[in-house]
Amino acid sequence: MGPVIEKETGHGATGDRILDAARVVFLEKGKAGARMHGIAAQAGINKALLHYYFRSKEDLYREVLTKELTVFFRGLIESIRPSGDIEALVRDFIDNYIDRLSRNPQVVRFLTWEVGSGGPVARNVIGGIVHGGEGVPIYRAFSNTVGDAARSGRIRPVDPQHLLFSLIGMCIYVFLAAPILSGVFPGVDTSDKTFLEKRKREIFDLVWYGIRAEKGGNDG
Amino acid sequence: MGPVIEKETGHGATGDRILDAARVVFLEKGKAGARMHGIAAQAGINKALLHYYFRSKEDLYREVLTKELTVFFRGLIESIRPSGDIEALVRDFIDNYIDRLSRNPQVVRFLTWEVGSGGPVARNVIGGIVHGGEGVPIYRAFSNTVGDAARSGRIRPVDPQHLLFSLIGMCIYVFLAAPILSGVFPGVDTSDKTFLEKRKREIFDLVWYGIRAEKGGNDG
DNA sequence: GTCTATATCCTGATAGAC
DNA sequence: GTCTATCAGGATATAGAC
């Protein structure tokens, strides 16, 4: 049989162990707070070998973050069916965004560190995914569905860009602010399925009642 | 005449220069990335004097962040009139939150760094402000107004806590993600008054249409 | 590829003169 | 209160044996 390829990362087995270890440490401490020694220890090797695989901390950080964000956002976008039905699209967006954030809380943490330091890596990755890709770029598809729904009189006219920002903001906020919110409002627990399902319903209701055309007003 | 007190921070003039300098450096680099040397240089003094005023980096960070967050959130809360009118309350909240974020973008940056490292300082400050204080605690007032509006049939029943999270999330997201968004969507500029006024309108409309009772249904 | 040992510089914090 | 000089340890990165 041919060569056994496990993850197809372009690094060997040790290289992958390093990436996993680096992921854990960067997540916990951020880029500046992370220590190459700590990453090597987490990977079960020493600093010299670490530098043999990745020339510098900067390189390692960029590689870890790019991989993490690419996997997350590609998966997210692929899971949102580019439906022409605005109601289904909104529901799918909220469902998928929250589900995936709750299954990948480390992504929020990475984004937090990254934004703190100006976000150069995230800007590249996300920009490429949102506007690039095969077929119709995802943002274009979203924008079209919103525009069509408004023209057909199903919803009132809304700015698709702002609607998108509102959706993202409402979904991601509780994850972002979790360390603070959980101390201020007991009961807020972003790992609790019940809380998240309620959060989904509240967001969907707010948005759907907030954009749908009033009854009797759909004579576009 | 009596002693001239300028800022009432509990430190002398040099202490205040240090706090200002530390604010700038912590803002740019975060706690781990900041260097005591850099802070001293920014303040025009040397490391020894810095340690004379503030025993450790940790102390200095806590003091800077506590001051920054306390001023911001106290000001924010005081500017939101605890109106019994839900529509006015929502509008005031959005107006004030966005105005104050746009005038104090550094607060978002501080919060970002702080949340990345687990948010212990922010948790204390915000918890104290939201639940403590004189008179009726602000969250209680908000919750009461929402509950009253639902009982009187002016809005549909909504969970006040989730409504609050949605409002905050929608307002703060564009500031938080600004470094990324401005690269992905040209035209997004959180220092542009026109953009922010549009953002306010879109949020208010979404929320207000999203919670108000439908016409003919207010016989609660 | 993996290790030990080391180079080189930087870090937060302190001692002690003025 | 403010400085120069310095400590003791830790940081990234490399040299070189195996």
Side-chain angles (χ1 to χ4, degrees):
Chain A
M1 45 182 113
V4 177
I5 296 172
E6 291 206 345
K7 275 187 169 180
E8 197 62 77
T9 59
H11 305 271
T14 304
D16 285 342
R17 286 230 320 284
I18 292 176
L19 285 174
D20 285 346
R23 184 172 161 276
V24 171
V25 176
F26 280 130
L27 197 61
E28 186 66 26
K29 317 258 188 182
K31 182 167 75 172
R35 299 289 169 246
M36 294 299 265
H37 176 102
I39 294 172
Q42 175 81 22
I45 59 171
N46 56 48
K47 289 187 293 174
L49 194 57
L50 184 53
H51 278 92
Y52 173 79
Y53 276 88
F54 299 89
R55 195 167 301 271
S56 71
K57 191 183 181 180
E58 191 68 33
D59 282 3
L60 182 54
Y61 176 77
R62 198 172 331 117
E63 199 137 350
V64 167
L65 192 61
T66 300
K67 182 184 165 191
E68 193 75 17
L69 296 185
T70 302
V71 169
F72 179 81
F73 283 103
R74 263 206 224 292
L76 174 66
I77 281 175
E78 279 164 15
S79 73
I80 298 173
R81 300 181 323 228
S83 167
D85 177 0
I86 180 70
E87 184 176 356
L89 179 59
V90 168
R91 199 186 291 277
D92 265 20
F93 186 97
I94 297 166
D95 267 6
N96 277 292
Y97 211 144
I98 287 185
D99 281 347
R100 282 171 182 270
L101 286 174
S102 74
R103 269 183 279 129
N104 303 277
Q106 79 283 359
V107 167
V108 177
R109 201 101 196 266
F110 271 125
L111 282 173
T112 303
W113 287 122
E114 172 68 0
V115 166
S117 58
V121 180
R123 193 160 39 230
N124 271 350
V125 173
I126 297 176
I129 292 178
V130 169
H131 287 125
E134 312 83 31
V136 182
I138 182 70
Y139 174 65
R140 181 75 76 80
F142 176 84
S143 181
N144 285 345
T145 300
V146 173
D148 290 348
R151 270 186 295 278
S152 76
R154 182 128 195 255
I155 65 171
R156 63 183 175 84
V158 292
D159 185 312
Q161 185 172 270
H162 282 271
L163 178 59
L164 178 64
F165 294 164
S166 295
L167 281 167
I168 297 175
M170 284 189 282
C171 289
I172 208 171
Y173 173 72
V174 291
F175 293 94
L176 271 170
I180 295 173
L181 289 182
S182 63
V184 177
F185 299 98
V188 172
D189 176 2
T190 52
S191 62
D192 175 25
K193 197 170 157 53
T194 307
F195 172 78
L196 292 180
E197 289 304 318
K198 181 161 176 61
R199 180 92 200 111
K200 284 184 192 173
R201 281 196 307 275
E202 294 281 337
I203 295 175
F204 177 79
D205 287 349
L206 189 67
V207 172
W208 184 238
Y209 290 138
I211 64 174
R212 66 169 182 179
E214 294 189 66
K215 281 158 186 158
N218 55 342
D219 48 296
Chain B
M1 43 183 117
V4 177
I5 296 172
E6 290 208 346
K7 275 187 170 181
E8 197 63 78
T9 59
H11 305 271
T14 305
D16 286 341
R17 285 231 320 283
I18 293 176
L19 285 174
D20 284 347
R23 184 171 162 279
V24 171
V25 176
F26 280 131
L27 196 62
E28 186 66 26
K29 317 258 188 182
K31 182 167 74 171
R35 299 289 169 247
M36 294 299 265
H37 177 104
I39 294 172
Q42 176 79 23
I45 58 170
N46 55 49
K47 288 190 293 172
L49 194 56
L50 184 52
H51 277 92
Y52 172 80
Y53 276 89
F54 299 90
R55 195 167 302 273
S56 70
K57 189 182 182 180
E58 190 68 31
D59 282 3
L60 182 54
Y61 176 76
R62 198 173 330 118
E63 199 137 351
V64 167
L65 194 61
T66 300
K67 182 184 165 193
E68 192 76 17
L69 296 184
T70 301
V71 169
F72 179 80
F73 283 103
R74 264 206 223 294
L76 175 65
I77 282 174
E78 278 163 17
S79 73
I80 298 174
R81 302 182 320 229
S83 166
D85 176 0
I86 181 71
E87 185 177 356
L89 180 60
V90 168
R91 201 185 290 276
D92 265 19
F93 186 97
I94 297 166
D95 267 4
N96 277 291
Y97 211 143
I98 288 186
D99 280 347
R100 282 171 181 270
L101 286 174
S102 75
R103 269 183 279 130
N104 303 277
Q106 78 284 359
V107 167
V108 176
R109 199 100 195 265
F110 272 125
L111 283 173
T112 303
W113 287 122
E114 171 68 0
V115 165
S117 58
V121 180
R123 191 158 43 229
N124 272 349
V125 174
I126 296 176
I129 292 178
V130 170
H131 287 124
E134 313 82 32
V136 181
I138 182 72
Y139 175 64
R140 182 76 75 78
F142 176 84
S143 182
N144 286 344
T145 299
V146 173
D148 290 347
R151 271 187 295 277
S152 76
R154 182 129 195 255
I155 65 171
R156 62 181 177 84
V158 292
D159 185 312
Q161 184 172 273
H162 282 272
L163 177 59
L164 178 63
F165 295 164
S166 294
L167 281 167
I168 298 175
M170 284 188 283
C171 288
I172 209 171
Y173 174 71
V174 291
F175 292 94
L176 270 169
I180 295 173
L181 289 182
S182 63
V184 177
F185 298 99
V188 172
D189 177 1
T190 53
S191 62
D192 174 25
K193 198 170 158 54
T194 307
F195 172 78
L196 292 180
E197 289 304 318
K198 180 161 176 64
R199 180 92 199 112
K200 285 184 193 174
R201 282 197 306 274
E202 294 280 338
I203 294 175
F204 177 79
D205 288 348
L206 189 67
V207 173
W208 184 239
Y209 291 138
I211 64 175
R212 67 169 181 179
E214 294 190 65
K215 281 158 187 159
N218 54 344
D219 48 297

